Amino acid sequence: MKKISLLCLCLLSLRAEDFISEFEYGQMLYRNPRGVSCVPCHGDTGEGKEIVSYKNDKGERIVISGPDIRTASLAQIRESVQESRGVMPRYFLTDKEIRTIHAYLQKVNADNNVSSDDS
Ligand code: HEC
């Protein structure tokens, strides 16, 4: 009985942030939002990435890449994940999840000294 009340006291003193910060949650979402990660197409921190390349019938090398989204605005991210226009898949993320991914990209790139003029 004494052990149980001690355990309860310990649990009470823990706050959500002790388990995972908003930054870590955003990083997790960016890496694995409903199964299809942003990373293979936009890179670890949104810097952009070559997805695939091939040679066309004229022998020219065609490269398809995910653009740099380090300074993408919340509105751009929202629009891109909600409407698929080309290569990028459509996601069914909540507004909070989209905001958290945006906040992650802002924070990780502020730490990497990438300037952004919108928020
Ligand atoms: C399969 C590859 C792929 C995945 C996965 C992907 N994207 Fe994209 N994304 C693209 C491509 C390619 C574009 C350029 C427009 C197009 O072709 O759809 C793009 C465009 C964007 C843009 C607009 C950039 C601009 O300059 O207009 C944003 C913002 C974006 N993606 C965010 C994300 C986020 C956030 C995720 C994860 C939740 C994600 N993307 C997952 C390939 C991908």
Side-chain angles (χ1 to χ4, degrees):
M1 194 59 199
K2 203 173 175 192
K3 267 191 189 149
I4 291 176
S5 48
L6 206 67
L7 181 71
C8 291
L9 260 182
C10 290
L11 286 176
L12 275 179
S13 66
L14 288 173
R15 290 173 309 144
E17 299 89 87
D18 294 330
F19 292 102
I20 184 169
S21 67
E22 187 180 3
F23 176 77
E24 288 163 337
Y25 182 56
Q27 186 176 53
M28 198 187 83
L29 275 175
Y30 179 76
R31 289 183 180 166
N32 190 8
R34 306 270 201 272
V36 188
S37 173
C38 316
V39 175
C41 301
H42 293 288
D44 274 334
T45 59
E47 69 278 15
K49 204 169 185 293
E50 183 177 315
I51 303 169
V52 66
S53 74
Y54 60 92
K55 285 210 167 105
N56 69 8
D57 49 6
K58 291 183 197 121
E60 296 159 342
R61 186 168 176 261
I62 308 292
V63 179
I64 297 177
S65 39
D68 183 339
I69 55 165
R70 286 176 294 185
T71 58
S73 67
L74 180 60
Q76 279 177 302
I77 294 179
R78 187 178 286 136
E79 198 185 303
S80 300
V81 300
Q82 288 175 347
E83 299 161 29
S84 175
R85 280 198 223 96
V87 175
M88 186 167 152
R90 183 171 177 216
Y91 288 89
F92 296 89
L93 298 169
T94 66
D95 198 58
K96 175 69 183 155
E97 287 169 331
I98 294 169
R99 283 173 186 278
T100 308
I101 289 175
H102 176 246
Y104 162 71
L105 287 172
Q106 296 266 299
K107 174 84 173 71
V108 75
N109 290 306
D111 293 348
N112 292 341
N113 287 320
V114 175
S115 67
S116 158
D117 36 55
D118 55 28
S119 57

